[in-house]
Amino acid sequence: MAAAVSAASSGARVGIVDENPSLGGQIWRGEGANVPHSREASDWLAHVKTAGVTEFRGKRVFHQPEPGVLLAEGVDDLCELNYGALVLATGARERFLPFPGWTLPNVVGAGGLQALVKAGLPIRGKRVVVAGTGPLLLAVASYLRKHGAGIPLICEQTSWSKLARFGVTLLSQPEKIAQTLRIKKEMAGVRFFANAWPLNAQGKNNLEAVNISRAGKSETIECDYLACGFHLVPNIEMPVLLGCQIRCGYVKVDDFQQTTVERVYCAGEPAGIGGVDLALVEGQIAGLAATGQLSEAKTLFHKRDKLRRFARALEDAFRLRSELRTLPSSDTLVCRCEDVSYSRLQEHTSWRSAKLYTRCGMGPCQGRVCGPATQFLFKWNPDSVRPPVFPARVEHLAVTPAPQQSIPAVTGGLQ
Ligand SMILES: Cc1cc2nc3c(=O)[nH]c(=O)nc-3n(C[C@H](O)[C@H](O)[C@H](O)COP(=O)(O)OP(=O)(O)OC[C@H]3O[C@@H](n4cnc5c(N)ncnc54)[C@H](O)[C@@H]3O)c2cc1C
């Protein structure tokens, strides 16, 4: 939205394509229906309307058959979108790490549970243990508590010393301090453990309890939900498909958020996990630069660079500890689309070999869940991305012009 509004200020014809039926990304998309819009969300949505931006909602981009042309699929239609410049702002997803019992019903992603509640899932009176790592845990716990859930415990895998260092970084970001104090107040009385993580989830048909490790000791806590997420993974599949260079796991961009591909810009989480404030300012810079408003874009560099310091501190503070590599047991499923267990993966030395011999990463999520998990567990590097980048209907693939790059038959199969 920030990129679109800034680009439209040049008089350019601008469109937003979002696979969600409502705009607003991960934070604001569910607001309006069950939750009133926050002031900031209302302002951005109003800016989009007044800027005259065309909205293509509920359309998922799955392929670029040639530079300057994107294909997006809706519920029952296919759009061909031609662009002069493109800003990729594909966001991030949660990282899941496998542990015994993580596939039980009611063990869910932390952000995933929040999204379900935003979509209407009743949570009042339910006991939710929140575990994993990153600031999202607190944001989710506070959201769920406001909606009537009980939070017996928050488990954060990082150490108190890393949290303290992160706290010092916040001192240079007054708005983040205010946010932290607000959440601290909202979470009064909730137990928060650092150096703690889930060892296993227990239950017959549904989750009944979670066993956690805390400073070397284990403790069992009864609960209805385990909301679990180990920070975020950038959605870089689309930029990779378009040929953008990746550096240290993120899309490489220059000062103007331009990628290594001409006319293609990138903003928000794919360029570095830094939260909504950084995503907004990067979006503004990308939108301005994509429409030639370079001097206006430059005025935002200082603000962005300050927020990037916060992003680096986030990365340091919530880096995964090595003990988490020992969580899966031999029969723990790592790829849940294709039912591939940890012991079957241990026989392989690369992501490609595991894919070829076990079908790990070849199910409907196309490695979006097990890829980051195996990257952490086995230090494997993910493969190249091939079109279609999301599952698409056969009838739409049939009208798709032949892709520029050839599809190696050996790992093929339509998504
Ligand atoms: C599950 C989850 C919950 C979160 N909750 C919070 C929270 O409560 N508070 C908080 O401060 N931060 C939260 N975050 C962090 C949040 O992602 C960022 O701070 C912020 O939303 C980043 O903005 P963005 O524009 O980079 O990405 P996003 O807000 O994720 O926006 C990316 C958009 O791109 C769209 N998209 C992606 N690929 C395609 C495609 N191929 N075709 C069409 N559309 C596409 C998505 O539908 C989405 O709307 C959450 C993150 C996740 C993953």
Side-chain angles (χ1 to χ4, degrees), residues 340-414:
V340 185
S341 65
Y342 180 68
S343 63
R344 286 184 64 205
L345 293 176
Q346 278 178 307
E347 296 163 18
H348 298 280
T349 53
S350 72
W351 172 246
R352 174 154 288 249
S353 160
K355 247 178 126 170
L356 287 173
Y357 288 95
T358 68
R359 288 195 54 81
C360 177
M362 291 179 75
C365 90
Q366 286 288 294
R368 283 180 173 80
V369 176
C370 61
T374 58
Q375 208 170 359
F376 173 67
L377 293 173
F378 304 110
K379 302 187 179 160
W380 291 342
N381 283 323
D383 247 352
S384 58
V385 173
R386 289 174 293 114
V389 79
F390 281 108
R393 282 200 294 280
V394 172
E395 69 202 82
H396 292 156
L397 294 174
V399 296
T400 303
Q404 297 283 301
Q405 57 191 116
S406 61
I407 301 175
V410 70
T411 52
L414 291 177

Side-chain angles (χ1 to χ4, degrees), residues 238-302:
M238 185 58 69
V240 171
L241 184 76
L242 269 59
C244 304
Q245 211 173 308
I246 304 299
R247 190 173 50 191
C248 302
Y250 297 109
V251 178
K252 186 178 170 191
V253 289
D254 68 9
D255 283 350
F256 291 100
Q257 300 294 136
Q258 164 130 20
T259 69
T260 48
V261 176
E262 219 186 320
R263 300 187 293 143
V264 178
Y265 297 75
C266 184
E269 310 289 44
I273 304 287
V276 64
D277 298 324
L278 180 59
L280 286 169
V281 70
E282 285 184 352
Q284 287 171 288
I285 293 172
L288 291 167
T291 47
Q293 306 177 78
L294 299 186
S295 43
E296 288 86 343
K298 275 185 188 168
T299 62
L300 295 165
F301 284 3
H302 177 69

Side-chain angles (χ1 to χ4, degrees), residues 198-275:
L199 289 171
N200 54 64
Q202 301 158 4
K204 217 167 166 199
N205 298 314
N206 275 308
L207 173 75
E208 289 164 18
V210 54
N211 193 14
I212 61 135
S213 165
R214 182 195 174 200
K217 293 198 181 119
S218 78
E219 186 178 330
T220 303
I221 295 134
E222 290 184 3
C223 56
D224 302 300
Y225 284 96
L226 170 59
C228 200
F230 291 86
H231 206 31
L232 302 176
V233 186
N235 291 327
I236 56 170
E237 291 77 10
M238 185 58 69
V240 171
L241 184 76
L242 269 59
C244 304
Q245 211 173 308
I246 304 299
R247 190 173 50 191
C248 302
Y250 297 109
V251 178
K252 186 178 170 191
V253 289
D254 68 9
D255 283 350
F256 291 100
Q257 300 294 136
Q258 164 130 20
T259 69
T260 48
V261 176
E262 219 186 320
R263 300 187 293 143
V264 178
Y265 297 75
C266 184
E269 310 289 44
I273 304 287

Side-chain angles (χ1 to χ4, degrees), residues 24 26 39 48 58 70 80 82 100 105 109 132 153 156 162 171 207 214 239 253 260 292 308 315 361 363-364 370:
Q26 289 290 358
R39 176 72 198 272
V48 171
L70 292 175
E80 184 180 300
N82 295 280
L153 180 64
E156 166 57 68
K162 282 193 171 186
L171 295 177
L207 173 75
R214 182 195 174 200
V253 289
T260 48
R308 276 190 179 160
E315 190 135 347
C370 61

